[in-house]
């Protein structure tokens, strides 16, 4: 019976998340009952959406329960199976949470086998996982730009933004990223192949940022994939072209504390824009549509986004704070041994 | 050669529109050349979109030129025709502007014959004109609610809002209006047949207004037709149900002076809303689709929105100021004799 270290939500954050909002506990993992499997987590995904669930407010997902294990996607190894679908040694993608072990129903929805022999297992938490499918859906279904048009993407070096850019280039779009700092911008234009990347730290106000975006898209901006909100969204509204489409995937700028207002909502009217929020969990059909394209890009070496890896479950809270503050670089993971 | 009194844009407004922004001049109307018709304006439409055109900023329409006749829709009588399509005595809908007479090409786009024998001629500037078609498009194409669902409409007693409500009822929706003052609210629920109407003056903040809207739609708000913006849009975002759709048709709250921010744009994401701006001039196909339904409602006496009528072209600027300040009741017109 393995000892299992877990991270619980100890209290709901007041404003910015703090380490004291989490609690590390150690318990026993029960043996699997008939129909269950025991899995050992190898990789835990940390994602911005988790911040929203820490608050007890209505949103697209129920709040993370207080005093329970933090929810999260995991890649795990099957150690013991009492379900015919699974065998010891299988690698599975699931929602194991912030802990080292879990016991899960063998037929749990979302539990899927992955092939970790051809690509690193962690890829299934990034480009071949929820972030990648999120990028695919927002870009192809909501932004829906045509080849030759230009789109912009915020948090361009992140787990979602990086895939948006690679997909956009593969589809014949011009793509301009927005990221924080010269190192991330260099990665976005270098390794990821964006046409340009604007360092939002070099543009202290929305007007300046808008001018830089417009310069990066001399033919106009047809669409935008938003992961940040706040000043970035203000800037995009002021420089996007008429009939532009904006996919709202994340608004991390306002996750801590008070909502960040939108300065000029009348631009949605005067430019006849469409602004649409989405969450990929409501589009389960997206996976089968997106994964072939994502797999092909990974196999051709076009899509190997960077990862930031913390080690050991005890490191998860600090790594999560870093993610919220933009200290990570690419996909934020926790590796568990 | 008739003497023609005209209202020119004398200067661009700084903030609120003032009477001094307009100039009344008198000139001669030229005789129609071959292919032209001379028309005498009977009705001039005053509409909120005119405010936007008075500014020299990029929008969906070119700015109103300085020193030229204010643009606007008119119902006119053909006095002399040098075009085979028209004869003296015809009643035509066109864009004659803020003046008493005009000479227009007989094949000008948008010039259409109307039948003023069955319904009052002014109806073609309201329920059977641009406001009516605007209401139809936004409600049926963008809000696109299903029978039994509830929608909300701001400026519910106005030229557009009133038609939205009547169309919504005819399509089996629950509809709750927002209007300013008990008299307008009484008209909205009485003559127009809305299920309820919230007096925004009785709700000084967005939270209180949202609570009233939610109470008016106990089954949830599936969509919203926005003519006002500002506090009203803040309230709607906070009480609309997930996957709600918002058609942005007007944001008159911010037309004078500085833009009114949107307090909680993150709700577009957390509720997965779609917010879309539109202008009916970009959807010319809407007319042939909308008019049969609008005509039928007018013929059955279901759609006879109220009008506020100013008299004489010299009264147009003051009437326009009243429209921007909500002093009108229903469709604002100027009758010319």
């Amino acid at each position: 019976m393995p000892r299992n270290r877990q991270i619980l939500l100890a209290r709901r954050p007041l404003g910015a998340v703090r380490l004291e909002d989490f609690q590390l506990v150690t318990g026993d993992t029960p043996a699997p009952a008939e129909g269950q499997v025991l899995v050992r987590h190898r990789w835990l995904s940390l994602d911005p959406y988790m911040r929203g669930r820490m608050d007890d407010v209505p949103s697209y997902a129920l709040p993370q329960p207080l005093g329970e294990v933090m929810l999260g996607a995991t890649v795990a190894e099957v150690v013991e199976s009492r379900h015919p679908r699974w065998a010891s040694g299988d690698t599975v993608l699931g929602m194991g949470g912030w802990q080292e072990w879990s016991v899960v129903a063998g037929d749990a929805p979302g539990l899927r086998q992955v092939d970790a022999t051809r690509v690193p297992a962690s890829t299934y938490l990034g480009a071949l996982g929820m972030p990648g499918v999120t990028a695919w859906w927002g870009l192809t279904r909501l932004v829906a730009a045509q080849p030759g048009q230009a789109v912009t993407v915020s948090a361009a070096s992140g787990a979602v933004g990086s895939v948006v850019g690679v997909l956009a280039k593969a589809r014949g779009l011009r793509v301009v990223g927005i990221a924080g700092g010269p190192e991330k911008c260099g990665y976005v234009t270098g390794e990821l192949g964006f046409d340009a990347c604007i360092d939002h730290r070099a543009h202290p106000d929305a007007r300046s940022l808008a001018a830089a975006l417009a310069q990066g898209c001399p033919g106009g901006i047809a669409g935008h994939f938003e992961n940040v909100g706040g000043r970035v969204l203000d800037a995009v509204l002021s420089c996007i072209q008429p009939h532009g489409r904006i996919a709202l995937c994340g608004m991390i700028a306002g996750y801590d504390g008070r909502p960040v207002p939108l300065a000029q909502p009348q631009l949605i009217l005067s430019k006849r824009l469409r602004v649409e929020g989405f969450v990929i969990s409501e589009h389960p059909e997206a996976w089968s549509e997106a994964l072939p394209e994502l797999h092909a890009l990974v196999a051709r070496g076009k899509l190997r986004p960077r990862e930031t890896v913390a080690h050991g479950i005890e490191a998860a809270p600090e790594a999560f704070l870093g993610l919220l503050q933009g200290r990570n670089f690419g996909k934020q993971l926790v590796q568990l041994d």
Side-chain angles (χ1 to χ4, degrees), chain A:
Chain A
M1 188 179 299
R3 296 287 282 174
N4 183 23
R5 294 191 300 163
Q6 308 174 308
I7 306 285
L8 313 183
L9 178 63
R11 66 175 191 191
R12 302 206 182 277
L14 297 168
V17 179
R18 301 170 66 170
L19 291 179
E20 303 89 271
D21 299 331
F22 303 97
Q23 184 185 7
L24 174 67
V25 299
T26 304
D28 290 329
T29 303
E34 186 61 35
Q36 292 184 323
V37 292
L38 172 68
V39 300
R40 179 172 188 160
H41 301 165
R42 295 302 185 185
W43 294 93
L44 165 66
S45 177
L46 296 180
D47 301 277
Y49 77 82
M50 295 165 168
R51 174 64 188 87
R53 301 188 66 154
M54 294 175 76
D55 292 329
D56 187 12
V57 298
S59 186
Y60 49 78
L62 290 175
Q64 159 79 42
L66 258 184
E68 296 194 12
V69 176
M70 286 287 294
L71 297 161
T74 46
V75 169
E77 178 194 336
V78 174
V79 173
E80 183 184 349
S81 174
R82 297 191 63 190
H83 190 284
R85 187 175 159 202
W86 306 106
S88 283
D90 283 350
T91 303
V92 294
L93 178 64
M95 289 296 288
W98 296 25
Q99 56 186 336
E100 295 173 312
W101 296 79
S102 63
V103 169
V104 60
D107 58 0
L111 195 67
R112 62 172 71 199
Q113 188 155 18
V114 296
D115 177 359
T117 60
R118 300 192 192 173
V119 297
S122 60
T123 312
Y124 295 99
L125 296 173
L128 296 179
M130 183 271 288
V133 178
T134 296
W136 186 92
W137 182 267
L139 180 70
T140 67
R141 295 306 179 90
L142 303 189
V143 175
Q146 301 301 311
Q149 291 186 317
V151 298
T152 52
V153 188
S154 57
S157 69
V160 174
S162 58
V163 182
V164 171
V166 172
L167 281 170
K169 289 311 299 174
R171 287 166 166 259
L173 306 174
R174 180 176 181 81
V175 59
V176 173
I178 305 164
E183 193 192 1
K184 286 182 178 175
C185 287
Y187 162 70
V188 165
T189 52
E191 287 183 55
L192 294 176
F194 282 56
D195 295 288
C197 189
I198 311 300
D199 179 0
H200 63 74
R201 293 183 191 161
H203 297 281
D205 58 65
R207 182 186 296 253
S208 165
L209 183 55
L213 288 170
Q215 193 172 25
C217 303
I221 299 168
H224 175 67
F225 191 110
E226 184 59 278
N227 291 306
V228 172
R231 181 165 54 92
V232 170
L233 188 53
D234 282 333
V236 167
L237 281 184
S238 72
C239 64
I240 196 169
Q241 68 192 41
H243 300 289
R245 288 177 169 214
I246 298 177
L248 285 188
C249 174
M251 298 181 83
I252 199 168
Y255 285 1
D256 283 343
R258 296 203 302 177
V260 182
L262 190 65
Q264 299 193 79
Q266 83 283 1
L267 293 171
I268 304 173
L269 170 58
S270 65
K271 296 186 177 185
R272 293 87 73 211
L273 307 177
R274 181 188 286 183
V275 181
E276 192 161 0
F278 77 105
V279 55
I280 200 62
S281 59
E282 292 183 334
H283 306 283
E285 73 278 20
W287 289 76
S288 61
E289 297 180 62
L291 284 179
E293 186 173 349
L294 296 169
H295 267 288
L297 286 168
V298 169
R300 287 178 13 231
K302 300 277 188 190
L303 184 56
R304 294 280 169 90
R306 196 178 286 211
E307 298 173 344
T308 295
V309 180
H311 292 277
I313 194 68
E314 69 279 10
E318 180 69 39
F320 183 61
L321 266 60
L323 170 70
L324 294 176
Q325 294 160 9
R327 283 192 271 118
N328 62 311
F329 199 138
K331 173 65 196 171
Q332 179 67 57
L333 296 162
V334 181
Q335 187 168 23
L336 309 171
D337 301 305

